[in-house]
Structures are given as structure tokens and as C-alpha cells.
Amino acid sequence: MKKEITYSFIIPHKNCPELLQRCVDSIPERDDLQVIVVDDNSDEDKKPSLKERKNLQVILLDASQSKGAGRARNVGLEHAEGKWLLFADADDYYTDYLPTLLDEYADDETTDIVYLNACKFDENGVETSFRTDKLINNYTNGVERAEMELRYNLWTPWSRMVKGSVVRSKKLLFDELPATNDKMFCLYCSYYSRSVKAEKQIIYKYYRPTKGSITDKQRDSRMLDGLLDVRRRTITLYKKAGYKRIPSFWSILFKTSYVKELSCYDVIKKYVKALHDSHTNILVDQARFFKNL
């Protein structure tokens, strides 16, 4: 009889098979977990070629199905059987503490989400702390409002282990956008989770090159509308949750490189439309911007 799946790992992949193998190798091989790799239409010579292991499923998307990491993760969700869901990027990997974590929560029936600590490393192997460290330390030390900060100021999918029942009951999906496709999924996981825990041990190593990722270089001003829409939905959710650190729309236009490709008229038009769609006064938005600088 097939053993019940406790953990499902979902990994989107595109054109980095050697790094993908490292990521998969960092996940222990055990009967109670499945590893789902969704290849987002990689080049023919860079498709996954993984060593055989138990409960490994590789799904190949063709060009007509390829819509980035958000789409790939949604395909993974369709096949995930686990009580717990975990997400990894193909160029990252887990630390040796992962088996201890899996043993600890295998029989946990009360926790809905576990926030996982991480560090980042660059192309030279230099490791530095990631913001999960401060947020998790504040939470475990009982700092005021630290749980709200942990829930709503952290939206990387690999920084959490979430109950499959939360995702399935609320029909949560990733946005299928070129950028920021994971933010709303992660925020809603936090919003709908009743009981939360956090792990201080470093469990995940996140690759962040010093010169920016390939994805960063491929982004352009066409993504700005999607980013503004995500910001609108973020503000709506923050208000429902009672989270006070509401971001401004102007911060996207001020901080991102996308606006360099646009005329001043186009920037103002997009900004006014974003304010109108979210019923936000321009003076309120500017006050939020300067408060969060």
C-alpha cells in the first residue's frame, strides 16, 4: 500500500538543470514526500535530467503552456498530494536541517503555516542574512506586532511551509505574471492561516547574484500595470487584515527601473489610474511614501 504523502515540494525550473539537481539532492529521499518539478519550456538541451528517486514527478510544459514561474507553480499545485506544501526555486537549495524540520511537523495537526529562516548567497558563495532572520527573531522573542510583520512583510514562497488544506479550501493560486507572481499567494496563505510557527534555524539558501538575475534583466515597462494591480490588491488585503504598514503606489514608480522606458505623461496616467482604482487620495499616498522611505 502506498504511504500517505505528508510533504509536497514544488519546484519550477527553466534552463538550469545542474542547479536543479543540487536543489533536488538537498531534499531527503523518504516515502512520505513527493518532489514535483515543473519545467517551464526549457531549451531542448537544458531540460531536467534528474537522477531516479522515489516520488519524483517531472512535468514538462511546452511553449503554449509557458507563462513563467507562477504558471509552473500552479501546475505543481494540481499534482500536490501532501498535507504540507513547500516551494523551492531551482537555483536554491535546503540545508542539512531540513530532515529535522520534516520529522518535527509530520504529525502536527494544529499549525497552519511555518515560516522558515533563510540566508542568501551570491555567485562567489558569499552568504549574508536575509530579512527572514530579523522577522523570525522578533516573533520568537515576543516583540510587539512581530506576528503581523511576519505574516504580511514576507512573501517569498520558499520562506514558508503551509498546510495543503489552507491552499485547497481557499482555492489559492499564484498570479501568472512575469514579475511578483508569488506575492498575493503568500499573503493570502498568511491571511487564512490561523495558527503559525517559525523556525530560527537556517533551512533554505537563496541564490541572489550581485548583478541581478536574468529575470530582472528581462523585465520591462509592460510589467508595470501588473505590479500596480498587485499593489492595489496588497493594500486591500492589508486593510482587511488590520496591517498598518500600507505601501504607496508612488514607491513603485519611484523605485523601479520600468518607468525609465515611459514618458512622463504615461507615468502620471498610470499613477492616477492606480489611485482611482483603489480609492486612494494622492495626499494620502504621498504621505505613505515618505513615511516608508
Side-chain angles (χ1 to χ4, degrees):
M1 189 171 93
K2 183 180 177 183
K3 187 174 177 63
E4 182 180 358
I5 298 297
T6 306
Y7 299 100
S8 292
F9 290 78
I10 297 173
I11 309 171
H13 169 263
K14 191 175 183 72
N15 289 339
C16 58
E18 296 85 4
L19 298 179
L20 172 64
Q21 185 67 67
R22 179 183 65 183
C23 179
V24 171
D25 286 345
S26 71
I27 300 170
E29 190 167 0
R30 35 196 279 178
D31 292 335
D32 65 341
L33 66 77
Q34 66 176 154
V35 178
I36 304 167
V37 173
V38 184
D39 181 73
D40 185 30
N41 191 38
S42 288
D43 298 341
E44 203 57 44
D45 60 339
K46 293 184 178 179
K47 292 190 182 298
S49 180
L50 296 165
K51 302 172 190 172
E52 278 193 36
R53 60 174 287 163
K54 295 177 183 176
N55 300 329
L56 171 64
Q57 185 174 4
V58 178
I59 301 167
L60 302 177
L61 303 184
D62 59 27
S64 67
Q65 300 168 307
S66 177
K67 294 183 180 178
R71 169 63 176 166
R73 291 191 181 106
N74 285 337
V75 171
L77 286 174
E78 292 174 8
H79 294 81
E81 303 174 28
K83 181 171 75 173
W84 289 102
L85 304 177
L86 297 96
F87 304 89
D89 290 343
D91 52 357
D92 304 338
Y93 62 97
Y94 292 96
T95 70
D96 292 340
Y97 188 76
L98 179 61
T100 303
L101 175 86
L102 301 183
D103 289 339
E104 180 179 353
Y105 288 97
D107 298 318
D108 187 308
E109 300 296 336
T110 58
T111 308
D112 285 334
I113 195 168
V114 182
Y115 294 98
L116 309 178
N117 206 352
C119 68
K120 56 184 177 180
F121 67 100
D122 63 21
E123 64 272 22
N124 300 312
V126 177
E127 294 184 4
T128 52
S129 62
F130 189 65
R131 58 196 173 107
T132 49
D133 197 43
K134 180 180 179 181
L135 292 169
I136 288 174
N137 277 326
N138 285 345
Y139 173 72
T140 55
N141 291 332
V143 174
E144 185 180 2
R145 293 187 63 80
E147 183 177 323
M148 289 288 279
E149 289 290 326
L150 188 60
R151 283 177 181 260
Y152 300 112
N153 197 20
L154 187 63
W155 51 81
T156 46
W158 41 259
S159 62
R160 69 205 58 228
M161 181 171 74
V162 61
K163 278 280 177 64
S165 57
V166 172
V167 174
R168 294 170 191 125
S169 65
K170 300 301 180 181
K171 297 181 172 60
L172 302 183
L173 293 171
F174 289 85
D175 285 326
E176 296 183 1
L177 299 170
T180 323
N181 51 65
D182 48 8
K183 184 176 184 180
M184 295 312 301
F185 176 87
C186 294
L187 289 179
Y188 273 113
C189 283
S190 293
Y191 180 74
Y192 288 120
S193 292
R194 294 163 298 177
S195 174
V196 307
K197 289 184 180 177
E199 288 289 328
K200 294 181 73 171
Q201 290 279 353
I202 300 294
I203 292 165
Y204 192 85
K205 294 197 175 184
Y206 161 57
Y207 177 57
R208 186 64 181 174
T210 54
K211 297 180 180 179
S213 68
I214 294 172
T215 304
D216 290 337
K217 295 173 184 175
Q218 291 174 342
R219 293 173 179 172
D220 58 36
S221 61
R222 289 172 295 177
M223 300 182 188
L224 191 56
D225 289 333
L227 288 174
L228 289 169
D229 180 61
V230 170
R231 177 59 53 89
R232 177 186 61 77
R233 288 182 285 147
T234 299
I235 290 172
T236 300
L237 180 59
Y238 280 1
K239 288 178 178 177
K240 286 172 63 178
Y243 184 55
K244 303 300 182 184
R245 282 188 58 182
I246 295 178
S248 73
F249 287 99
W250 184 249
S251 61
I252 289 181
L253 299 170
F254 179 79
K255 294 179 181 179
T256 66
S257 60
Y258 312 138
V259 297
K260 295 177 182 177
E261 303 172 35
L262 299 172
S263 68
C264 183
Y265 171 75
D266 284 334
V267 171
I268 293 172
K269 185 170 69 172
K270 287 177 182 293
Y271 181 51
V272 171
K273 184 178 186 306
L275 294 176
H276 177 268
D277 290 347
S278 65
H279 308 288
T280 302
N281 182 282
I282 188 170
L283 296 178
V284 171
D285 191 71
Q286 291 295 309
R288 289 173 182 164
F289 169 70
F290 286 110
K291 182 180 179 181
N292 292 318
L293 276 179

